Amino acid sequence: ALAWALPNRTTYHAQRAAIGVAPGKMRIILAPLLMLLVIVTLRGLVNPGLVAFLPRLFQQQGWSASDYGLVTGVFWFSAGAMGVVFGKLADRFGSRSLIAISMLVSAPAVLGLGMVDTWVAFPLAITAGAFSGGSHSLIVALTQKYIPGGKGLASGMSLGFIFGMGALGVLVIGTMSDIIGLVSAFQVVAIVTFITGLLAFLLPPDHPGQLALPRAPEAQPVPAAGD
């Protein structure tokens, strides 16, 4: 059944022609794509980079392994659940606004995680995980809009870049924690998360289900002989 649902070669080329992509060529909206890559790089500090240090943070505060394991678990669970919610909201409000707002909302929660030692850590972890991780699928969808002629490449590139920057974020946070301490590193990540939210507003506004792309030049009619 899936094989019958896949578009054939004729439909594929017709879809590419509709967005102004000639056969054998790929269209890339470069400036917004580069800005999105910057945002993903900075976002990698908080998600998935930061969550690697949640167990260590609360272990230093004397929590048991089951307790800080639960904090880490609710961080990841809320990120996955919010991804579904953000996907539905993006159909109405667009991806850019949700990415920006999610980063701005998660910044205070990240800051609070480094400052609390009570049950308040659980709602903070839920908030930080949900809003920093909820934009995961939106980034993939937005990358596909910036590379409309190569959605497979866009998906692979965005996912690889997200996880790659997360691994780099672990290295950066670990280095900072060795120099200024883990709590101070969380504070730096919170500031970077807030800045990331502001940068997201620089992305082009996208409307539900579509992005205002430059139109391909229309073919000019060939003048008839003798005109």
Side-chain angles (χ1 to χ4, degrees):
L2 178 61
W4 287 104
L6 294 174
N8 56 30
R9 182 182 296 273
T10 303
T11 304
Y12 170 73
H13 287 300
Q15 292 173 346
R16 289 169 64 90
I19 58 176
V21 181
K25 294 184 179 180
M26 182 173 299
R27 186 177 176 190
I28 299 176
I29 308 176
L30 187 58
L33 180 62
L34 292 177
M35 176 57 69
L36 183 62
L37 294 180
V38 171
I39 291 170
V40 173
T41 300
L42 297 178
R43 177 185 175 274
L45 286 175
V46 61
N47 193 303
L50 185 75
V51 68
F53 295 91
L54 279 179
R56 178 57 179 166
L57 176 69
F58 292 104
Q59 183 186 46
Q60 291 178 346
Q61 298 176 355
W63 287 37
S64 66
S66 59
D67 288 339
Y68 60 69
L70 183 59
V71 171
T72 306
V74 298
F75 184 102
W76 281 122
F77 179 81
S78 58
M82 186 59 78
V84 178
V85 177
F86 273 16
K88 295 184 69 66
L89 291 177
D91 292 335
R92 175 177 296 183
F93 302 106
S95 299
R96 182 196 70 164
S97 299
L98 289 176
I99 293 174
I101 293 173
S102 66
M103 292 292 99
L104 294 177
V105 172
S106 61
V110 172
L111 180 65
L113 279 173
M115 302 172 62
V116 301
D117 187 20
T118 62
W119 63 269
V120 180
F122 287 94
L124 288 176
I126 292 173
T127 302
F131 285 93
S132 67
S135 59
H136 186 100
S137 59
L138 302 184
I139 293 173
V140 177
L142 205 55
T143 306
Q144 293 177 342
K145 293 178 181 179
Y146 294 154
I147 310 179
K151 294 186 182 298
L153 171 65
S155 300
M157 184 183 72
S158 57
L159 289 172
F161 202 74
I162 287 173
F163 291 116
M165 291 302 101
L168 182 60
V170 172
L171 175 62
V172 172
I173 295 173
T175 303
M176 285 195 300
S177 64
D178 290 338
I179 299 174
I180 62 177
L182 192 54
V183 173
S184 297
F186 268 63
Q187 295 172 352
V188 172
V189 172
I191 295 173
V192 173
T193 303
F194 186 81
I195 294 173
T196 305
L198 296 179
L199 289 177
F201 283 114
L202 298 179
L203 294 171
D206 60 311
H207 300 287
Q210 62 181 356
L211 181 70
L213 301 177
R215 297 181 61 88
E218 298 182 359
Q220 299 296 325
V222 178
D227 288 351

